[in-house]
Amino acid sequence: MELLKKRIIEEGTVIEDEILKVDSFLNHQMDIELFKAMGETFYERFKERKITKILKIEASGIGIAAIAALYFKVPVVFAKKTQSKNLDAETYCSKVYSFTKQKYYDVQVSKRYLSKEDHILVIDDFLANGKAAEGIIDIITQSGATLEGIGIVIEKGFQEGGKLLRDRDIHVESLAIIDGFKNGKVIFRDRAASPE
Amino acid sequence: MELLKKRIIEEGTVIEDEILKVDSFLNHQMDIELFKAMGETFYERFKERKITKILKIEASGIGIAAIAALYFKVPVVFAKKTQSKNLDAETYCSKVYSFTKQKYYDVQVSKRYLSKEDHILVIDDFLANGKAAEGIIDIITQSGATLEGIGIVIEKGFQEGGKLLRDRDIHVESLAIIDGFKNGKVIFRDRAASPE
């Protein structure tokens, strides 16, 4: 998606050729006009699928899931990370490994909000090692719902998540795929759109 | 807002006359059509103010902040709860007391995303004791921005947050104010709309 790549080139900061910071429009400040364009692009790429719900692990990325849901006209369900008095007793539950925190955490979805009649689009802001996606696919499988696809804002193509998911014949659409960093610049998978 | 009260009456569950569970449309599953109506209502109630940004503490409530931002045509900035390598070194920071976790946590906003030229609308899904709102007002004050108002989805009118904020002449608009629970039913401040 050229508009997104342009924003990454213009405003993204690469830290130590390792971390991409996109605070100014994606994950500290959200540029809602860009979010609308991204939501519409997800709709264009998945509109042939009969989506009934968008699924997302809280917390980051709920904004883009909510805006995308406007175009699909479906509810968003988010998998909860924390145990809460408010959560139903009957849930689908999976364990997700966090590399940053170096431990497993539980994600849960109430059985009331996922059923075998559902056709699910998973939306997330980042895809790296794919551990969160794995957890959410496990929950979808438990519920008997159909996974129609995964929409990602920024895929870190140099990590294995995207490959692992596509190898399982899952329809993954990433609005920007980053193959790496060089001298503080981002290298996109589509070389023509790269700033190099 | 009658549409919201209707959903609370029809789908909300009162647990032990103490906790209101609104999972099915607000904080586990998000009904995006209802969110649009709520976003539009916030816009109607604050459109005379010159809003330049919507501010929100992550994580719950980011969905409604994002949808409301569509109507105001402004970015959403969310205050971060966690220390992160990705966060700018220069931040406005405040401490917020969590009654549920019985401890203080830091909330931070990068100095790049708040300035004295900004006119801020704070949006949140719940208002109870007002501690989160206090933290966010502290951050707005530090930045020199103008707080134009606070929009709340559900205010627990039997807790002190709303009163404390209104006593400071802050413009608070809550889409539903709950004065308490009785025999498993919700008592709204506007008695005419109450299910009693």
Side-chain angles (χ1 to χ4, degrees):
Chain A
M1 185 189 169
E2 293 311 314
L3 183 62
L4 174 64
K5 288 181 183 169
K6 189 166 173 282
R7 295 295 291 272
I8 294 172
I9 293 167
E10 287 173 358
E11 297 176 41
T13 317
V14 178
I15 302 167
E16 294 164 10
D17 270 0
E18 195 180 299
I19 294 169
L20 174 66
K21 201 161 159 246
V22 284
D23 267 24
S24 63
F25 56 90
L26 189 62
N27 52 6
H28 187 4
Q29 180 167 254
M30 307 193 296
D31 178 336
I32 296 296
E33 290 304 314
L34 174 67
F35 274 47
K36 279 166 69 179
M38 296 194 300
E40 203 168 356
T41 304
F42 282 132
Y43 181 70
E44 284 304 314
R45 296 192 186 182
F46 289 105
K47 68 182 173 190
E48 307 303 328
R49 307 279 184 146
K50 196 190 85 187
I51 307 296
T52 61
K53 268 174 194 171
I54 289 176
L55 191 58
K56 166 79 200 83
I57 294 183
E58 62 180 355
S60 100
I62 288 178
I64 179 59
I67 301 289
L70 286 175
Y71 295 91
F72 288 93
K73 299 186 193 308
V74 299
V76 176
V77 173
F78 44 94
K80 299 250 184 182
K81 276 183 181 177
T82 44
Q83 209 66 40
S84 156
K85 268 195 281 192
N86 270 5
L87 197 61
D88 288 342
E90 295 284 300
T91 65
Y92 302 112
C93 183
S94 188
K95 285 194 185 301
V96 172
Y97 185 74
S98 163
F99 281 96
T100 37
K101 293 182 182 164
Q102 300 204 327
K103 64 176 183 187
Y104 285 89
Y105 62 91
D106 283 343
V107 288
Q108 295 184 72
V109 174
S110 163
K111 292 193 176 176
R112 291 197 292 158
Y113 305 129
L114 273 185
S115 78
K116 61 185 196 311
E117 279 76 38
D118 277 319
H119 293 255
I120 304 296
L121 175 63
V122 173
I123 296 254
D124 217 339
D125 43 3
F126 287 98
L127 172 64
N129 52 62
K131 293 296 175 195
E134 247 177 58
I136 213 125
I137 292 168
D138 180 25
I139 282 174
I140 292 167
T141 307
Q142 289 175 44
S143 75
T146 308
L147 172 64
E148 293 289 349
I150 301 181
I152 299 291
V153 176
I154 299 177
E155 177 180 337
K156 294 176 177 169
F158 53 92
Q159 289 189 254
E160 63 182 0
K163 185 180 182 317
L164 291 175
L165 294 170
R166 291 183 184 94
D167 283 352
R168 290 168 69 180
D169 278 336
I170 292 168
H171 180 183
V172 181
E173 291 279 353
S174 299
L175 302 185
I177 302 180
I178 289 169
D179 266 342
F181 306 106
K182 199 177 169 185
N183 304 327
K185 284 191 191 294
V186 175
I187 302 162
F188 291 102
R189 180 151 301 177
D190 171 14
R191 297 298 162 126
S194 161
E196 291 290 313
Chain B
M1 188 189 168
E2 293 311 313
L3 183 62
L4 174 63
K5 288 180 183 170
K6 189 167 173 283
R7 295 294 291 273
I8 294 171
I9 294 167
E10 287 173 0
E11 297 176 41
T13 319
V14 177
I15 302 167
E16 294 164 10
D17 271 358
E18 195 180 300
I19 295 169
L20 175 65
K21 200 161 159 247
V22 284
D23 267 25
S24 62
F25 55 91
L26 189 63
N27 52 6
H28 188 4
Q29 180 166 254
M30 307 193 296
D31 178 335
I32 296 296
E33 290 302 315
L34 174 68
F35 274 46
K36 279 166 69 180
M38 296 195 299
E40 203 169 356
T41 304
F42 282 131
Y43 181 69
E44 284 304 315
R45 296 192 186 182
F46 289 105
K47 69 181 171 192
E48 307 304 328
R49 309 278 183 147
K50 196 191 87 189
I51 306 297
T52 62
K53 269 175 192 170
I54 289 176
L55 191 59
K56 167 78 200 85
I57 295 182
E58 62 181 354
S60 100
I62 287 178
I64 179 60
I67 301 289
L70 287 175
Y71 294 91
F72 288 93
K73 300 187 193 306
V74 298
V76 176
V77 173
F78 45 94
K80 299 250 185 185
K81 276 183 182 177
T82 44
Q83 209 66 40
S84 155
K85 267 196 279 192
N86 271 5
L87 197 62
D88 288 343
E90 294 285 300
T91 64
Y92 302 112
C93 183
S94 188
K95 285 194 185 301
V96 173
Y97 185 74
S98 164
F99 281 97
T100 36
K101 293 181 181 163
Q102 298 203 330
K103 64 177 182 186
Y104 284 89
Y105 62 91
D106 283 344
V107 288
Q108 296 185 70
V109 174
S110 164
K111 291 192 175 178
R112 293 196 291 159
Y113 306 129
L114 272 185
S115 79
K116 61 184 196 311
E117 280 74 39
D118 278 319
H119 292 255
I120 305 295
L121 175 64
V122 174
I123 296 254
D124 217 340
D125 45 3
F126 287 97
L127 172 64
N129 53 62
K131 293 296 176 197
E134 248 176 59
I136 213 126
I137 293 168
D138 180 24
I139 282 174
I140 293 168
T141 307
Q142 289 176 45
S143 75
T146 307
L147 172 64
E148 293 289 350
I150 301 181
I152 299 291
V153 177
I154 299 177
E155 177 180 338
K156 294 175 177 169
F158 53 91
Q159 288 188 253
E160 62 182 1
K163 186 182 181 315
L164 291 175
L165 295 170
R166 290 183 184 96
D167 283 351
R168 291 168 66 179
D169 279 335
I170 293 168
H171 180 183
V172 181
E173 291 280 352
S174 300
L175 303 185
I177 303 179
I178 288 169
D179 266 341
F181 307 107
K182 199 177 170 184
N183 304 326
K185 285 191 192 295
V186 173
I187 302 163
F188 291 101
R189 181 150 300 176
D190 172 14
R191 297 298 163 126
S194 159
E196 291 289 313

